Amino acid sequence: MDARAISLVRATFKAVAAVDGGPEKLTSSFYAILFARNPEARDFFPAAMDVQRDRLVSAIAHVVDQLEELDRVVPFLAQLGRDHRKYGVVDAHYTAVGNALITALEQFAGSELWTDEVDSAWREAIAVIAGAMIDGANTDDGPPMWHGTVVDHIRVLDDVSIIRLQLDQPMDYSAGQYVSVSIPSRPRMWRYLSPAIPANAEGQIEFHVRRVSGGWVSPAVVANTAVGDRWTLGSPLGSMTRHTAEWRDRLLIASGTGIAPIRAQLMEMSTRTDNPRVHVFVGGKYPCDLYDFSTLQHIAAINPWLSVVGVVESEENPWWYMHDGPALETAPIVGQIGQVVAEFGAWEGRDIQIVGSPSMINTTRFRLQAGGVDLSSVHHDPW
């Protein structure tokens, strides 16, 4: 796409997003058009569409922001295409989706904004998106989905569970990636989770799940998961580790259950004979939120290339936490994780990964940038 077409696509999307309720109205209109024209497509989606609408807006926004850098956005779209195989999506569905999105955008933008040139620019953008997703799906010879049995459920906090599964067949993923997961009590509602251990030939996998207030899936996972439950998993996603050079020193920053993909990477690295220096910061609001920090400390104890630091916002656990808390060899630093990391040292020349909530990621990026870090070295997944 040329600069003019990209500018038109971006301007149109920003105009829609700027209207009060614009993204929600756009996605509602899009799905209504898609389902009216293609009733069979409704079976791909859950009964409650709120989360799905949010994901659509996030995906479009991410792609629109990256159109000048197709070498970065195409791998992301190819992964989405591979993941969509779990729905039974075929090439014709991408055409239907593209046409429905064009109609919804045209209706929402109106005749003054939606010119022939804008229409052409969006059709070119959708052709790029659909082409990358179709290529990703058609070049993947692995299974469209995996099935596994829950073999352990550990409630480490009131709102956090560790779930271990035995897959029917091993899944080949890179430590640091994430997968979409569907549980029996929430069919067709997919939640993205990061494996907390590297891939292995035995098909064992572990997830750390925090209950999200108002969420559809995570509360059911934390409260109701039982040994013997059968889960369905989609293809591995995420390119955070793809940007990492093996020889460059690393800074890894996580909060809460974001420790999972960081831990998987450290476990994988600990099997090698030669590694760069790695500094890890794991944060939480309370000391009890560092529920698995001792595992990182054990890894660091036998790997001199690794340094781990805990960060908490409060020295005391909340009144409702009735346990002793995790046994930590070193007391955590008290403060906000982004500020603590930025003030801890100079991080120029590092490959930097951040895993956490959108607000935590944005705050930490801002702090690092203010400390002189080039943001091109900072990586995090879009969702």
Side-chain angles (χ1 to χ4, degrees):
M1 296 183 65
D2 61 29
R4 172 65 177 172
I6 292 172
S7 177
L8 290 172
V9 167
R10 190 165 292 153
T12 310
F13 188 72
K14 287 184 177 180
V16 170
V19 176
D20 186 29
E24 293 80 7
K25 293 176 182 177
L26 173 66
T27 53
S28 294
S29 177
F30 160 73
Y31 282 114
I33 294 166
L34 177 64
F35 297 155
R37 294 176 177 175
N38 308 271
E40 76 284 356
R42 186 64 183 86
D43 293 337
F44 298 153
F45 300 95
M49 292 289 293
D50 296 22
V51 174
Q52 187 63 36
R53 292 191 184 100
D54 291 342
R55 286 177 179 168
L56 176 66
V57 172
S58 297
I60 294 174
H62 177 68
V63 173
V64 167
D65 284 342
Q66 303 286 331
L67 282 175
E68 291 103 335
E69 302 178 85
L70 289 182
D71 59 328
R72 297 186 65 178
V73 76
V74 166
F76 167 76
L77 292 168
Q79 288 188 24
L80 282 184
R82 290 192 290 271
D83 185 52
H84 276 60
R85 294 185 305 144
K86 69 189 181 215
Y87 299 115
V89 170
V90 297
D91 292 4
H93 291 124
Y94 289 101
T95 301
V97 166
N99 289 336
L101 183 57
I102 289 290
T103 302
L105 284 164
E106 183 177 5
Q107 290 179 353
F108 196 92
S111 57
E112 291 186 7
L113 182 59
W114 195 264
T115 63
D116 289 343
E117 191 178 13
V118 168
D119 184 273
S120 176
W122 268 100
R123 291 186 185 279
E124 185 179 357
I126 289 173
V128 170
I129 295 169
M133 293 182 70
I134 290 171
D135 287 346
N138 291 341
T139 56
D140 192 340
D141 55 3
M145 64 184 72
W146 285 256
H147 300 281
T149 302
V150 175
V151 295
D152 203 3
H153 177 188
I154 305 170
R155 192 86 171 260
V156 292
L157 294 172
D158 180 63
D159 61 344
V160 175
S161 287
I162 294 176
I163 311 294
R164 294 175 180 144
L165 295 98
Q166 176 64 55
L167 301 180
D168 296 349
Q169 62 184 114
M171 174 188 288
D172 185 19
Y173 58 87
S174 298
Q177 287 191 297
Y178 56 93
V179 300
S180 54
V181 173
S182 176
I183 63 174
S185 61
R186 298 292 186 271
R188 293 182 295 176
M189 290 185 177
W190 297 87
R191 170 76 187 272
Y192 292 108
L193 301 175
S194 296
I197 60 175
N200 60 76
E202 289 72 37
Q204 301 160 336
I205 198 166
E206 176 181 309
F207 298 111
H208 297 189
V209 186
R210 180 179 293 277
R211 182 183 63 224
V212 177
S213 298
W216 286 95
V217 178
S218 62
V221 170
V222 173
N224 303 321
T225 297
V227 171
D229 284 353
R230 295 281 291 170
W231 285 21
T232 303
L233 286 64
S235 297
L237 301 169
S239 58
M240 191 165 57
T241 58
R242 182 173 62 87
H243 307 289
T244 302
E246 289 190 5
W247 54 269
R248 291 186 70 182
D249 292 341
R250 302 181 194 178
L251 169 63
L252 310 180
I253 309 166
S255 64
T257 54
I259 194 175
I262 299 299
R263 193 184 81 158
Q265 292 180 68
L266 297 179
M267 287 181 169
E268 185 175 74
M269 293 177 70
S270 67
T271 64
R272 305 173 191 164
T273 57
D274 188 26
N275 285 296
R277 290 183 301 160
V278 180
H279 278 78
V280 176
F281 290 80
V282 177
K285 186 172 183 180
Y286 304 108
C288 61
D289 290 324
L290 305 183
Y291 63 91
D292 200 32
F293 189 73
S294 59
T295 299
L296 305 191
Q297 290 183 317
H298 292 328
I299 298 173
I302 57 174
N303 291 282
W305 48 266
L306 175 61
S307 173
V308 297
V309 178
V311 181
V312 294
E313 297 178 18
S314 172
E315 290 182 291
E316 303 293 331
N317 281 317
W319 64 268
W320 44 261
Y321 186 76
M322 307 302 293
H323 308 283
D324 293 334
L328 304 180
E329 297 176 9
T330 305
I333 297 174
V334 178
Q336 195 275 334
I337 189 168
Q339 182 175 356
V340 169
V341 173
E343 295 176 351
F344 200 87
W347 303 114
E348 294 88 347
R350 302 263 181 155
D351 273 334
I352 302 174
Q353 297 178 23
I354 310 176
V355 189
S357 66
S359 61
M360 175 269 189
I361 291 173
N362 290 333
T363 299
T364 303
R365 279 169 51 89
F366 173 79
R367 295 282 190 181
L368 290 171
Q369 185 179 35
V373 170
D374 181 357
L375 290 185
S376 66
S377 66
V378 180
H379 309 293
H380 57 87
D381 282 314
W383 291 342

